[in-house]
């Protein structure tokens, strides 16, 4: 990781920058302070010497030589003393002890405003000032800097003069150099100390931060029980405590959302109505079992066309309002659909559709209308035949004993048919009332189904139909009532063979283990879509014209459904007109 992008690097650079700024300002102020102090002390000393010299020279003297001697005695190294009078502004004497200070012409010196010579000649006492003369090499900038002062002087005979004293400004470069060395040493020490301090902060700040980052990553991955073990009384400790609190609240929130999701899933699974949720891209994202059954049936029936649910969704997008569509016929079932849009602000982000299976309602309506007609239809023919042939016997229409016996045989057959019908109705009523008794046994699946196949082998050969057994399951044994289940499979295979033309095929297919799936498929005429919801109802006959006069009562599939349901299984049918029919039995396999 780049150290300059880390907290320690940023803190280190900030401290270094602040330290450098403070050190620079401090060094500038220190140099300026020393310069001001030294200049003030030099000016004060020069002023004092000039005032003392002026007092000494103001005493009566006998000659000019004595004045110069006093000036010489009071002069110091690197100081030049000039005595001037008011009338001619000419020096009457000059003392220059050394050659360290370059010579300055008198006329150039007295012209400087900083000297204030006229004020001194008038009796004032101006302070010492800095005077700069260009064109020399006395300092690093090629200038000559002196400190000069003029003080008033009383001479004999009432004459007034001035004492001019000047000296070079002492070189401050050595002092500045020492200060720079000091600043450099302090800077190096500060840099080392700051670096050590920054890495000390690394263990005090970045370590708990890295721990919090790792814990935050675990929380982001879904481990909401991850806790930051760092404890302190500063802001980092408060942050760690806040993250722990946040993780706890997130854990509680996720648990609540999970429970709510499970509850919603349970509600969806337990709903009788189908529920489909479609997102903004038109993809199905949520379904429940009834809705999946609807989509599966549509896929079976219309493989190349989209389900009607999507056409309804397009209408919802166009109108922006709920859309209701009823009587959608699909594999013999009648569905009604109510779809409402889902909004995200003003934008539709999807839709929820509720599908209700209206087949039972439609079926009950049809059954109420057809039950009496079906019972009347099934009983009218044998009763009519019983009545007719009985009248023939009573009226002695039969001329010979053979004819009389034939009429009696017809009456017997029709009575047997009526007895069978009544018995099947009674059995069906007992089954639907829950009084069906099962004698469960453990059977070998393959041998059991092969025996049922052999039962129809001769009939299949006579009708030139291919009867096949396809074992796709590895299940060896099954617990069931062999007689009752044989009754179911016999009814299904018999129906399949009666509705399959010559050259067709009937397949008994077994697959799966839990549950075990048994399918009876044929390539026959199929069942009309409008009749599919009623195939398991009483008195249903697929083709009433073709079955007229046969022994079937129309109760076989109703009985088959009750037997399968008594075993804890389910039976359903899928069919296409002209292509064939498939009955599917799903049986549980308790371990």
């Amino acid at each position: 990781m780049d150290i300059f992008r880390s907290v320690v690097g940023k803190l280190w650079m900030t401290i270094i920058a602040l330290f450098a700024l403070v050190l620079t300002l401090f060094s500038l102020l220190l140099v300026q302070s020393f310069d001001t102090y030294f200049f003030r002390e030099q000016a004060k000393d020069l002023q004092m010497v000039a005032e003392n010299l002026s007092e000494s020279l103001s005493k009566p003297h006998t000659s000019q030589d004595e004045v110069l001697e006093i000036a010489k005695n009071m002069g110091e190294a690197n100081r030049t003393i000039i005595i001037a009078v008011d009338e001619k502004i000419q020096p009457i004497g000059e003392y220059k002890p050394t050659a360290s200070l370059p010579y300055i012409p008198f006329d150039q010196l007295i012209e400087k405003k900083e000297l204030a010579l006229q004020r001194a000649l008038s009796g004032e006492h101006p302070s010492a000032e800095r005077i700069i003369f260009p064109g020399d090499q006395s300092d690093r900038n090629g200038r000559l800097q002196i400190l000069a002062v003029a003080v008033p002087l009383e001479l004999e005979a009432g004459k007034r003069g001035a004492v001019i004293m000047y000296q070079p400004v002492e070189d401050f470069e050595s002092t500045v150099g020492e200060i720079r060395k000091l600043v450099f040493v302090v800077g190096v020490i500060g840099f080392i100390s700051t670096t050590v301090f920054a890495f000390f902060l690394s263990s005090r700040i970045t370590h708990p931060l890295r721990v919090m980052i790792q814990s935050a990553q675990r929380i982001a991955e879904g481990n909401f029980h991850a806790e930051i073990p760092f404890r302190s009384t500063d802001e980092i400790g408060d942050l760690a405590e806040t993250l722990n609190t946040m993780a706890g609240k997130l854990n509680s929130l996720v648990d609540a959302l999970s429970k709510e999701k499970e509850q919603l899933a349970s509600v969806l699974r337990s709903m009788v109505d189908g529920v489909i949720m479609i997102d903004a891209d038109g993809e199905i994202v949520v379904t429940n079992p009834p809705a999946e059954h609807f989509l599966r049936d549509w896929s079976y029936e219309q493989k190349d066309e989209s389900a009607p649910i999507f056409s309804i969704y397009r209408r919802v997008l166009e109108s922006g309002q709920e859309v209701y569509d009823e009587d959608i016929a699909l594999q013999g079932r009648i569905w009604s659909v109510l779809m409402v849009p889902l909004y995200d602000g003003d934008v539709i982000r999807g839709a929820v559709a509720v599908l209700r299976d209206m087949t039972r309602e439609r079926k009950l309506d049809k059954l109420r209308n057809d039950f009496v007609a079906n019972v009347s239809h099934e009983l009218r023919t044998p009763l009519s035949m019983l009545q007719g042939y009985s009248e023939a016997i009573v009226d002695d229409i039969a001329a010979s004993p053979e004819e009389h016996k034939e009429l009696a045989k017809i009456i017997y057959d029709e009575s047997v048919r009526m007895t069978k019908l009544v018995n099947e109705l009674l059995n069906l009523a007992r089954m639907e009332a829950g009084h069906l008794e099962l004698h469960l046994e453990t059977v070998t699946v393959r041998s059991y189904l092969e025996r049922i196949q052999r039962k129809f082998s001769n009939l299949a050969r006579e009708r030139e139909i291919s009867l096949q057994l396809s074992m796709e399951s590895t299940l060896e044994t099954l617990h069931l009532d062999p007689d009752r289940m044989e009754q179911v499979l016999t009814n299904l295979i018999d129906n399949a063979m009666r509705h399959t033309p010559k050259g067709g095929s009937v397949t008994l297919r077994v697959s799966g283990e839990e549950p075990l799936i048994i399918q009876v498929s044929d390539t026959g005429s199929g069942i009309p879509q409008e009749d599919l919801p009623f195939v398991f109802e009483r008195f249903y006959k697929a083709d009433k014209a073709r079955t007229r006069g046969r022994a079937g009562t129309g109760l076989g599939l109703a009985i088959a459904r009750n037997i399968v349901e008594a075993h804890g299984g389910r039976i359903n049918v899928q069919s296409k007109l002209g292509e064939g029919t498939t009955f599917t039995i799903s049986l549980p396999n308790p371990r």
Side-chain angles (χ1 to χ4, degrees):
M1 181 178 65
D2 190 356
I3 189 173
F4 296 106
R5 297 177 59 186
S6 64
V7 174
V8 174
K10 293 177 181 178
L11 183 61
W12 178 53
M13 292 299 296
T14 301
I15 295 176
I16 289 294
L18 290 175
F19 180 79
L21 178 62
V22 171
L23 189 63
T24 301
L25 293 176
F26 174 76
S27 62
L28 292 176
L29 291 175
L30 186 64
V31 170
Q32 184 65 29
S33 176
F34 271 95
D35 184 59
T36 302
Y37 173 76
F38 283 156
F39 177 77
R40 184 172 62 251
E41 290 299 319
Q42 291 181 58
K44 182 179 178 181
D45 182 62
L46 185 63
Q47 183 84 24
M48 183 181 65
V49 173
E51 293 288 348
N52 292 337
L53 181 60
S54 175
E55 291 179 3
S56 299
L57 294 177
S58 297
K59 298 177 181 180
H61 299 288
T62 57
S63 66
Q64 180 178 344
D65 293 336
E66 290 180 349
V67 173
L68 293 176
E69 184 65 24
I70 293 173
K72 178 179 179 181
N73 293 333
M74 297 188 67
E76 295 182 4
N78 294 331
R79 289 196 183 122
T80 299
I81 304 172
I82 301 174
I83 303 173
V85 297
D86 56 352
E87 288 86 356
K88 299 180 180 179
I89 314 299
Q90 294 293 328
I92 61 175
E94 179 177 0
Y95 171 71
K96 187 170 187 259
T98 65
S100 60
L101 180 65
Y103 175 75
I104 300 175
F106 180 71
D107 55 348
Q108 294 183 16
L109 178 62
I110 62 176
E111 290 177 356
K112 294 294 184 179
K113 294 185 296 181
E114 294 87 347
L115 185 61
L117 180 59
Q118 294 298 328
R119 292 172 56 194
L121 292 175
S122 63
E124 298 182 16
H125 292 264
S127 59
E129 296 291 341
R130 189 192 304 265
I131 300 177
I132 299 175
F133 290 92
D136 203 283
Q137 299 298 325
S138 296
D139 67 357
R140 63 180 181 273
N141 296 320
R143 301 174 300 175
L144 174 63
Q145 298 188 45
I146 65 172
L147 186 63
V149 64
V151 297
L153 175 65
E154 296 290 339
L155 298 175
E156 71 274 4
K159 294 182 180 179
R160 186 178 295 277
V163 175
I164 301 173
M165 183 175 290
Y166 66 92
Q167 69 180 30
V169 177
E170 292 187 6
D171 189 7
F172 190 57
E173 288 298 323
S174 60
T175 304
V176 173
E178 292 297 326
I179 293 175
R180 289 174 179 170
K181 290 180 182 179
L182 178 62
V183 170
F184 177 76
V185 173
V186 172
V188 172
I189 296 174
F191 178 82
I192 296 174
S193 302
T194 303
T195 303
V196 174
F197 179 66
F199 284 99
F200 171 75
L201 287 180
S202 172
S203 61
R204 298 289 297 174
I205 297 178
T206 59
H207 176 68
L209 287 178
R210 285 195 295 267
V211 173
M212 284 188 279
I213 290 173
Q214 294 172 358
S215 300
Q217 288 175 346
R218 291 196 296 271
I219 292 173
E221 293 171 355
N223 182 13
F224 298 106
H225 297 285
E227 183 177 356
I228 300 174
F230 184 76
R231 295 290 185 272
S232 67
T233 58
D234 55 9
E235 290 81 358
I236 295 180
D238 295 339
L239 178 59
E241 185 65 27
T242 302
L243 287 176
N244 288 333
T245 303
M246 181 191 69
K249 291 184 177 180
L250 281 176
N251 188 35
S252 300
L253 180 60
V254 169
D255 288 342
L257 290 176
S258 299
K259 292 179 180 177
E260 184 177 350
K261 184 178 180 181
E262 290 176 359
Q263 292 175 356
L264 179 59
S266 299
V267 170
L268 287 176
R269 286 193 300 268
S270 62
M271 288 181 62
V272 177
D273 295 335
V275 176
I276 296 177
M277 181 176 178
I278 304 175
D279 62 13
D281 298 327
E283 299 291 335
I284 295 177
V285 294
V286 175
T287 59
N288 66 342
E292 293 172 359
H293 179 71
F294 171 86
L295 296 174
R296 188 166 54 249
D297 284 348
W298 183 267
S299 176
Y300 178 85
E301 182 172 307
Q302 303 289 341
K303 295 183 179 180
D304 299 329
E305 298 183 16
S306 60
I309 199 74
F310 295 108
S311 62
I312 298 176
Y313 179 61
R314 286 190 291 270
R315 289 162 56 189
V316 170
L317 293 179
E318 293 172 358
S319 64
Q321 298 177 351
E322 65 179 38
V323 174
Y324 178 74
D325 199 350
E326 60 180 352
D327 294 337
I328 298 177
L330 188 63
Q331 283 291 291
R333 310 194 72 83
I334 307 300
W335 298 84
S336 65
V337 180
L338 175 64
M339 183 177 293
V340 295
L342 296 176
Y343 282 94
D344 185 3
D346 296 332
V347 180
I348 296 178
R349 62 178 180 87
V352 172
V354 178
L355 300 87
R356 174 161 295 180
D357 188 353
M358 304 297 292
T359 307
R360 183 174 179 81
E361 286 78 1
R362 302 292 189 269
K363 185 188 303 182
L364 291 176
D365 292 339
K366 182 177 178 60
L367 288 177
R368 280 193 296 267
N369 297 327
D370 294 348
F371 182 73
V372 175
N374 287 333
V375 173
S376 301
H377 173 76
E378 294 296 332
L379 295 178
R380 181 178 57 191
T381 300
L383 287 175
S384 298
M385 295 182 68
L386 287 174
Q387 181 181 358
Y389 288 114
S390 298
E391 289 177 352
I393 293 175
V394 172
D395 294 339
D396 292 328
I397 296 177
S400 62
E402 290 78 8
E403 290 180 356
H404 189 276
K405 185 177 180 179
E406 183 179 356
L407 292 177
K409 180 67 170 59
I410 294 174
I411 292 174
Y412 174 78
D413 291 339
E414 291 301 322
S415 64
V416 171
R417 180 182 174 192
M418 289 182 64
T419 301
K420 181 181 178 182
L421 174 62
V422 172
N423 288 334
E424 288 186 350
L425 280 173
L426 291 174
N427 287 334
L428 184 59
R430 283 196 298 269
M431 291 178 184
E432 292 179 348
H435 299 304
L436 177 61
E437 294 183 3
L438 297 178
H439 302 283
L440 300 178
E441 300 178 11
T442 300
V443 300
T444 303
V445 177
R446 176 177 288 275
S447 60
Y448 177 73
L449 295 177
E450 287 177 348
R451 180 170 60 81
I452 296 175
Q453 180 190 19
R454 288 194 297 270
K455 182 178 175 179
F456 290 91
S457 298
N458 292 332
L459 181 61
R461 282 194 296 271
E462 291 176 1
R463 296 184 180 180
E464 299 181 6
I465 296 174
S466 173
L467 178 60
Q468 301 173 356
L469 173 61
S470 174
M471 288 294 298
E472 300 175 2
S473 173
T474 59
L475 187 65
E476 296 181 357
T477 60
L478 187 64
H479 202 57
L480 49 74
D481 186 332
D483 293 334
R484 292 290 188 181
M485 192 55 62
E486 182 176 350
Q487 181 182 355
V488 172
L489 295 176
T490 298
N491 182 278
L492 295 179
I493 296 174
D494 181 67
N495 286 342
M497 295 187 68
R498 283 193 289 111
H499 293 89
T500 300
K502 290 183 180 181
S505 65
V506 175
T507 303
L508 178 60
R509 180 178 292 104
V510 183
S511 62
E513 293 185 5
E514 178 55 40
L516 181 70
I517 305 299
I518 302 176
Q519 291 181 319
V520 178
S521 303
D522 63 63
T523 58
S525 58
I527 302 174
Q529 183 172 334
E530 61 272 14
D531 290 336
L532 277 176
F534 313 108
V535 295
F536 295 107
E537 298 303 327
R538 304 169 184 175
F539 304 113
Y540 170 78
K541 293 182 181 180
D543 187 345
K544 299 175 179 58
R546 292 173 56 191
T547 59
R548 189 176 306 277
R550 296 188 182 181
T553 61
L555 298 175
L557 291 179
I559 294 173
R561 181 184 65 180
N562 283 274
I563 292 174
V564 172
E565 291 177 353
H567 282 80
R570 297 179 62 185
I571 182 171
N572 58 68
V573 60
Q574 292 176 314
S575 180
K576 286 185 180 180
L577 196 62
E579 296 185 14
T581 303
T582 298
F583 284 88
T584 301
I585 300 173
S586 175
L587 292 177
N589 180 27
R591 304 266 180 194

